[in-house]
Amino acid sequence: MRIPATPAAVQEAIDQATAGEVVLLEQDGRLVAAVVPYEVAAAGVDVLHEARDAADRLLGLRLIAELGIGMGTTRLSDLRRELAS
């Protein structure tokens, strides 16, 4: 269900979410928010945390692999000195 993002519509969205619906709020013809049942939001937060953790692990593995193939490292103090000059 899509409704405009007005105060009255937000209350309607809360009522609809309580009934189990996902409600998309739009403003000026574009989607700006969603009101969802709590269970949907909780599951979504868990999925976002898992995705972020997976991305962090992949980045770490990539950096370890790059170091393993001989990419050079720089001390932070050297980098700061280089950037300051």
Side-chain angles (χ1 to χ4, degrees):
M1 168 185 229
R2 287 172 81 157
I3 60 175
T6 63
V10 171
Q11 182 58 54
E12 181 184 347
I14 291 169
D15 296 340
Q16 294 296 325
T18 301
E21 285 193 50
V22 173
V23 181
L24 304 175
L25 301 177
E26 61 180 45
Q27 189 171 48
D28 300 325
R30 61 187 180 90
L31 294 175
V32 295
V35 181
V36 300
Y38 174 78
E39 295 79 11
V40 172
V45 168
D46 290 344
V47 169
L48 290 173
H49 284 233
E50 290 173 16
R52 185 190 63 213
D53 292 347
D56 288 346
R57 281 191 299 276
L58 288 174
L59 176 60
L61 291 172
R62 190 187 95 214
L63 293 173
I64 290 169
E66 288 175 356
L67 288 172
I69 61 171
M71 289 190 68
T73 60
T74 303
R75 291 180 164 274
L76 181 58
S77 59
D78 294 340
L79 181 59
R80 285 184 177 147
R81 188 174 28 258
E82 184 178 323
L83 291 173
S85 58

